[in-house]
Amino acid sequence: QKEVEQNSGPLSVPEGAIASLNCTYSDRGSQSFFWYRQYSGKSPELIMSIYSNGDKEDGRFTAQLNKASQYVSLLIRDSQPSDSATYLCAVIPAGGSYIPTFGRGTSLIVHP
Amino acid sequence: KAGVTQTPRYLIKTRGQQVTLSCSPISGHRSVSWYQQTPGQGLQFLFEYFSETQRNKGNFPGRFSGRQFSNSRSEMNVSTLELGDSALYLCASSPSQGETQYFGPGTRLLVL
């Protein structure tokens, strides 16, 4: 079974700090990786996607992908209280079904 | 572009009843996926439709069914509701299979 693992947290960081969220996956052939943010009681909102090894930056967010080690991470710079949410990692495994497997999410708390 | 829309947003039903949920994807998106989200199980994949055909199905009983219309709008139906069906039901659309999914606001179903 293809799995996506995330630490459930909560991860607590002070305002202005860098929050680092990690995700590991079991299917070595996976090609597409996504980070979503979900506020309590709301639906997941796409933050960014990444497909190649290395870093991808979008504003305060940086996704890092290492296929050899089978992990993808999300860095949030200058964390704000409004970043407090659950962050979901999603991976589309190899095999042709095209259906992403979601991790359980990491709860992030940014305190003033 | 307008986002994914789902109706109704909230539903209260009793055990044994049936329910139909509706999803309108982003204009031009042809793939629609449905997920069930509960605190205990996280995001669970129900099924995916593309070009009016069910392409993938998750591990849910036959009480859960769906369909997609020629305009890509999709409906899912749950018959003989059980207490355990209480959840947030999320619809996600993407331009095609395997591409980035965008979620609707969800339908929160409570079964009493």
Side-chain angles (χ1 to χ4, degrees):
Chain A
Q1 178 155 349
K2 290 146 185 166
E3 296 183 344
V4 175
E5 301 286 343
Q6 295 181 256
N7 188 319
S8 62
L11 173 66
S12 182
V13 301
E15 184 174 358
I18 296 176
S20 178
L21 304 162
N22 299 312
C23 170
T24 60
Y25 58 95
S26 62
D27 188 340
R28 183 171 289 277
S30 300
Q31 295 296 325
S32 303
F33 307 84
F34 308 89
W35 282 101
Y36 289 86
R37 175 177 63 196
Q38 186 172 25
Y39 292 112
S40 180
K42 303 295 186 182
S43 64
E45 171 193 13
L46 179 72
I47 297 175
M48 62 197 312
S49 58
I50 186 167
Y51 305 97
S52 304
N53 276 331
D55 295 359
K56 180 181 179 182
E57 187 175 318
D58 184 0
R60 295 187 296 113
F61 299 96
T62 299
Q64 299 175 318
L65 176 59
N66 185 322
K67 290 185 179 179
S69 300
Q70 294 176 237
Y71 81 79
V72 55
S73 61
L74 180 70
L75 301 179
I76 307 175
R77 289 183 301 282
D78 188 25
S79 295
Q80 300 297 309
S82 59
D83 294 325
S84 299
T86 296
Y87 289 80
L88 301 171
C89 170
V91 177
I92 295 183
S97 76
Y98 304 116
I99 301 304
T101 300
F102 284 82
R104 291 288 194 95
T106 297
S107 174
L108 173 67
I109 299 172
V110 181
H111 53 87
Chain B
K1 275 186 183 177
V4 179
T5 59
Q6 291 186 245
T7 57
R9 294 292 309 280
Y10 303 93
L11 264 179
I12 300 176
K13 293 286 188 179
T14 56
R15 279 182 300 173
Q17 287 187 309
Q18 73 158 15
V19 66
T20 299
L21 312 181
S22 181
C23 171
S24 292
I26 292 171
S27 178
H29 286 196
R30 296 169 61 199
S31 175
V32 173
S33 297
W34 289 90
Y35 295 86
Q36 181 194 68
Q37 188 176 37
T38 58
Q41 296 296 321
L43 261 175
Q44 302 287 304
F45 170 72
L46 281 157
F47 26 67
E48 182 215 10
Y49 286 87
F50 179 73
S51 294
E52 301 180 65
T53 303
Q54 186 181 93
R55 303 292 177 146
N56 291 286
K57 188 177 190 307
N59 189 26
F60 278 82
R63 301 186 296 107
F64 292 82
S65 63
R67 58 179 175 168
Q68 186 181 34
F69 302 95
S70 59
N71 61 359
S72 294
R73 192 177 70 84
S74 179
E75 289 181 346
M76 68 163 280
N77 183 277
V78 187
S79 62
T80 319
L81 284 166
E82 300 177 359
L83 294 179
D85 296 333
S86 295
L88 179 65
Y89 289 88
L90 292 161
C91 166
S93 78
S94 58
S96 186
Q97 290 183 288
E99 298 190 56
T100 303
Q101 292 188 344
Y102 298 88
F103 284 87
T107 295
R108 189 166 296 280
L109 172 65
L110 177 62
V111 182
L112 302 175

Short mmCIF file of all heavy atoms in Angstrom, two decimals, chain A residues 65-101:
data_model
loop_
_atom_site.label_atom_id
_atom_site.label_comp_id
_atom_site.label_asym_id
_atom_site.label_seq_id
_atom_site.Cartn_x
_atom_site.Cartn_y
_atom_site.Cartn_z
N LEU A 65 12.06 19.00 -2.59
CA LEU A 65 11.82 17.61 -2.97
C LEU A 65 13.13 16.86 -3.09
O LEU A 65 14.06 17.34 -3.75
CB LEU A 65 11.06 17.54 -4.29
CG LEU A 65 10.80 16.16 -4.89
CD1 LEU A 65 9.99 15.28 -3.94
CD2 LEU A 65 10.12 16.28 -6.24
N ASN A 66 13.20 15.70 -2.48
CA ASN A 66 14.35 14.81 -2.59
C ASN A 66 13.83 13.42 -2.90
O ASN A 66 13.40 12.69 -2.00
CB ASN A 66 15.16 14.83 -1.28
CG ASN A 66 16.44 14.01 -1.38
OD1 ASN A 66 16.47 12.95 -2.00
ND2 ASN A 66 17.50 14.50 -0.77
N LYS A 67 13.84 13.06 -4.17
CA LYS A 67 13.25 11.78 -4.57
C LYS A 67 14.11 10.61 -4.11
O LYS A 67 13.59 9.54 -3.81
CB LYS A 67 13.09 11.74 -6.09
CG LYS A 67 11.99 12.67 -6.59
CD LYS A 67 11.79 12.51 -8.09
CE LYS A 67 10.68 13.43 -8.59
NZ LYS A 67 10.49 13.29 -10.06
N ALA A 68 15.42 10.81 -4.03
CA ALA A 68 16.28 9.71 -3.59
C ALA A 68 15.98 9.30 -2.15
O ALA A 68 15.98 8.13 -1.81
CB ALA A 68 17.75 10.12 -3.72
N SER A 69 15.68 10.29 -1.33
CA SER A 69 15.35 10.03 0.07
C SER A 69 13.85 9.93 0.31
O SER A 69 13.42 9.68 1.43
CB SER A 69 15.94 11.14 0.96
OG SER A 69 17.35 11.20 0.82
N GLN A 70 13.09 10.15 -0.72
CA GLN A 70 11.63 10.02 -0.68
C GLN A 70 11.00 10.92 0.37
O GLN A 70 10.20 10.46 1.22
CB GLN A 70 11.23 8.54 -0.48
CG GLN A 70 11.62 7.70 -1.68
CD GLN A 70 11.32 6.23 -1.49
OE1 GLN A 70 12.22 5.39 -1.60
NE2 GLN A 70 10.10 5.90 -1.20
N TYR A 71 11.38 12.17 0.33
CA TYR A 71 10.71 13.12 1.20
C TYR A 71 10.50 14.44 0.47
O TYR A 71 11.20 14.80 -0.46
CB TYR A 71 11.48 13.35 2.51
CG TYR A 71 12.64 14.32 2.44
CD1 TYR A 71 12.42 15.70 2.46
CD2 TYR A 71 13.95 13.86 2.40
CE1 TYR A 71 13.48 16.59 2.40
CE2 TYR A 71 15.01 14.74 2.34
CZ TYR A 71 14.78 16.10 2.34
OH TYR A 71 15.84 16.97 2.28
N VAL A 72 9.46 15.12 0.93
CA VAL A 72 9.15 16.45 0.44
C VAL A 72 8.84 17.31 1.66
O VAL A 72 8.20 16.84 2.61
CB VAL A 72 7.98 16.43 -0.57
CG1 VAL A 72 6.74 15.76 0.00
CG2 VAL A 72 7.68 17.81 -1.09
N SER A 73 9.33 18.52 1.65
CA SER A 73 9.12 19.39 2.80
C SER A 73 8.59 20.74 2.36
O SER A 73 8.67 21.11 1.18
CB SER A 73 10.42 19.56 3.60
OG SER A 73 11.41 20.16 2.78
N LEU A 74 8.02 21.44 3.31
CA LEU A 74 7.50 22.78 3.07
C LEU A 74 8.07 23.70 4.14
O LEU A 74 7.91 23.42 5.33
CB LEU A 74 5.97 22.79 3.12
CG LEU A 74 5.31 24.15 2.89
CD1 LEU A 74 5.47 24.58 1.43
CD2 LEU A 74 3.83 24.12 3.27
N LEU A 75 8.72 24.76 3.71
CA LEU A 75 9.23 25.77 4.63
C LEU A 75 8.36 27.01 4.52
O LEU A 75 8.04 27.45 3.40
CB LEU A 75 10.67 26.13 4.29
CG LEU A 75 11.70 25.00 4.32
CD1 LEU A 75 13.08 25.52 3.94
CD2 LEU A 75 11.74 24.35 5.68
N ILE A 76 7.99 27.55 5.66
CA ILE A 76 7.23 28.80 5.69
C ILE A 76 8.09 29.83 6.41
O ILE A 76 8.37 29.69 7.61
CB ILE A 76 5.88 28.63 6.42
CG1 ILE A 76 5.09 27.47 5.82
CG2 ILE A 76 5.08 29.93 6.34
CD1 ILE A 76 3.80 27.16 6.57
N ARG A 77 8.54 30.81 5.66
CA ARG A 77 9.38 31.86 6.26
C ARG A 77 8.50 32.94 6.87
O ARG A 77 7.35 33.14 6.44
CB ARG A 77 10.29 32.47 5.19
CG ARG A 77 11.40 31.56 4.73
CD ARG A 77 12.30 32.29 3.72
NE ARG A 77 11.55 32.72 2.56
CZ ARG A 77 11.19 31.91 1.57
NH1 ARG A 77 11.53 30.64 1.60
NH2 ARG A 77 10.51 32.39 0.53
N ASP A 78 9.04 33.65 7.86
CA ASP A 78 8.32 34.75 8.49
C ASP A 78 6.90 34.31 8.85
O ASP A 78 5.90 34.93 8.44
CB ASP A 78 8.29 35.97 7.57
CG ASP A 78 7.73 37.21 8.25
OD1 ASP A 78 7.81 37.29 9.49
OD2 ASP A 78 7.21 38.08 7.53
N SER A 79 6.78 33.22 9.59
CA SER A 79 5.48 32.65 9.94
C SER A 79 4.59 33.67 10.63
O SER A 79 5.05 34.45 11.48
CB SER A 79 5.66 31.42 10.85
OG SER A 79 6.33 30.39 10.17
N GLN A 80 3.32 33.64 10.26
CA GLN A 80 2.33 34.55 10.82
C GLN A 80 1.24 33.74 11.53
O GLN A 80 0.99 32.58 11.17
CB GLN A 80 1.70 35.39 9.72
CG GLN A 80 2.70 36.25 8.94
CD GLN A 80 3.37 37.27 9.83
OE1 GLN A 80 2.69 38.01 10.55
NE2 GLN A 80 4.70 37.33 9.78
N PRO A 81 0.57 34.34 12.52
CA PRO A 81 -0.53 33.61 13.16
C PRO A 81 -1.57 33.11 12.16
O PRO A 81 -2.18 32.06 12.38
CB PRO A 81 -1.11 34.66 14.12
CG PRO A 81 0.06 35.52 14.47
CD PRO A 81 0.88 35.60 13.20
N SER A 82 -1.74 33.82 11.06
CA SER A 82 -2.70 33.39 10.03
C SER A 82 -2.25 32.13 9.29
O SER A 82 -3.04 31.53 8.55
CB SER A 82 -2.94 34.52 9.02
OG SER A 82 -1.71 34.87 8.39
N ASP A 83 -1.00 31.72 9.50
CA ASP A 83 -0.52 30.47 8.90
C ASP A 83 -0.93 29.26 9.74
O ASP A 83 -0.72 28.11 9.33
CB ASP A 83 1.01 30.48 8.77
CG ASP A 83 1.52 31.52 7.79
OD1 ASP A 83 0.83 31.75 6.76
OD2 ASP A 83 2.59 32.11 8.04
N SER A 84 -1.49 29.50 10.91
CA SER A 84 -1.91 28.40 11.78
C SER A 84 -3.01 27.61 11.09
O SER A 84 -4.10 28.15 10.80
CB SER A 84 -2.42 28.95 13.12
OG SER A 84 -1.38 29.64 13.80
N ALA A 85 -2.74 26.37 10.80
CA ALA A 85 -3.64 25.52 10.03
C ALA A 85 -3.06 24.11 10.01
O ALA A 85 -1.98 23.87 10.55
CB ALA A 85 -3.79 26.04 8.59
N THR A 86 -3.76 23.22 9.35
CA THR A 86 -3.22 21.88 9.09
C THR A 86 -2.70 21.85 7.67
O THR A 86 -3.38 22.30 6.75
CB THR A 86 -4.29 20.80 9.29
OG1 THR A 86 -4.70 20.80 10.66
CG2 THR A 86 -3.75 19.42 8.94
N TYR A 87 -1.51 21.31 7.50
CA TYR A 87 -0.87 21.25 6.19
C TYR A 87 -0.84 19.80 5.71
O TYR A 87 -0.30 18.92 6.37
CB TYR A 87 0.54 21.85 6.26
CG TYR A 87 0.47 23.34 6.45
CD1 TYR A 87 0.23 23.89 7.71
CD2 TYR A 87 0.58 24.21 5.36
CE1 TYR A 87 0.11 25.26 7.89
CE2 TYR A 87 0.47 25.57 5.52
CZ TYR A 87 0.23 26.09 6.79
OH TYR A 87 0.10 27.46 6.96
N LEU A 88 -1.44 19.59 4.55
CA LEU A 88 -1.57 18.26 3.98
C LEU A 88 -0.58 18.08 2.84
O LEU A 88 -0.48 18.93 1.96
CB LEU A 88 -2.99 18.04 3.43
CG LEU A 88 -4.15 18.17 4.41
CD1 LEU A 88 -5.47 18.14 3.66
CD2 LEU A 88 -4.09 17.07 5.44
N CYS A 89 0.10 16.96 2.87
CA CYS A 89 1.00 16.58 1.80
C CYS A 89 0.26 15.57 0.93
O CYS A 89 -0.41 14.68 1.45
CB CYS A 89 2.26 15.96 2.40
SG CYS A 89 3.39 15.17 1.25
N ALA A 90 0.36 15.71 -0.37
CA ALA A 90 -0.29 14.77 -1.29
C ALA A 90 0.70 14.32 -2.34
O ALA A 90 1.47 15.13 -2.86
CB ALA A 90 -1.52 15.42 -1.95
N VAL A 91 0.66 13.05 -2.66
CA VAL A 91 1.60 12.46 -3.61
C VAL A 91 0.83 11.62 -4.61
O VAL A 91 -0.02 10.81 -4.23
CB VAL A 91 2.62 11.56 -2.86
CG1 VAL A 91 3.56 10.89 -3.84
CG2 VAL A 91 3.39 12.37 -1.83
N ILE A 92 1.11 11.83 -5.89
CA ILE A 92 0.53 10.95 -6.91
C ILE A 92 1.55 9.84 -7.17
O ILE A 92 2.64 10.09 -7.67
CB ILE A 92 0.21 11.71 -8.20
CG1 ILE A 92 -0.88 12.74 -7.94
CG2 ILE A 92 -0.23 10.74 -9.28
CD1 ILE A 92 -1.34 13.50 -9.16
N PRO A 93 1.18 8.61 -6.82
CA PRO A 93 2.12 7.51 -6.97
C PRO A 93 2.23 7.06 -8.41
O PRO A 93 1.42 7.44 -9.26
CB PRO A 93 1.50 6.42 -6.09
CG PRO A 93 0.04 6.71 -6.10
CD PRO A 93 -0.09 8.20 -6.24
N ALA A 94 3.25 6.26 -8.68
CA ALA A 94 3.38 5.65 -9.99
C ALA A 94 2.29 4.59 -10.15
O ALA A 94 1.66 4.19 -9.18
CB ALA A 94 4.76 5.03 -10.12
N GLY A 95 2.05 4.17 -11.36
CA GLY A 95 1.09 3.09 -11.56
C GLY A 95 -0.11 3.47 -12.39
O GLY A 95 -0.90 2.62 -12.75
N GLY A 96 -0.27 4.76 -12.65
CA GLY A 96 -1.28 5.16 -13.62
C GLY A 96 -2.66 5.47 -13.11
O GLY A 96 -3.54 5.79 -13.90
N SER A 97 -2.92 5.35 -11.79
CA SER A 97 -4.27 5.67 -11.33
C SER A 97 -4.50 7.18 -11.25
O SER A 97 -5.65 7.61 -11.26
CB SER A 97 -4.54 5.04 -9.96
OG SER A 97 -3.90 5.78 -8.93
N TYR A 98 -3.41 7.95 -11.14
CA TYR A 98 -3.48 9.41 -11.07
C TYR A 98 -4.15 9.95 -9.83
O TYR A 98 -4.44 11.14 -9.75
CB TYR A 98 -4.19 9.99 -12.30
CG TYR A 98 -3.58 9.57 -13.61
CD1 TYR A 98 -4.32 8.80 -14.51
CD2 TYR A 98 -2.29 9.94 -13.96
CE1 TYR A 98 -3.77 8.40 -15.72
CE2 TYR A 98 -1.74 9.55 -15.16
CZ TYR A 98 -2.49 8.79 -16.04
OH TYR A 98 -1.95 8.41 -17.24
N ILE A 99 -4.46 9.11 -8.87
CA ILE A 99 -5.14 9.57 -7.67
C ILE A 99 -4.12 9.89 -6.59
O ILE A 99 -3.30 9.05 -6.23
CB ILE A 99 -6.11 8.49 -7.15
CG1 ILE A 99 -7.14 8.16 -8.23
CG2 ILE A 99 -6.79 8.95 -5.88
CD1 ILE A 99 -7.92 9.35 -8.73
N PRO A 100 -4.14 11.12 -6.06
CA PRO A 100 -3.17 11.45 -5.01
C PRO A 100 -3.49 10.74 -3.70
O PRO A 100 -4.65 10.55 -3.35
CB PRO A 100 -3.32 12.98 -4.86
CG PRO A 100 -4.68 13.28 -5.40
CD PRO A 100 -4.97 12.25 -6.43
N THR A 101 -2.43 10.36 -3.03
CA THR A 101 -2.55 9.85 -1.67
C THR A 101 -2.20 10.98 -0.73
O THR A 101 -1.17 11.64 -0.88
CB THR A 101 -1.57 8.67 -1.44
OG1 THR A 101 -1.88 7.62 -2.37
CG2 THR A 101 -1.70 8.14 -0.02
#
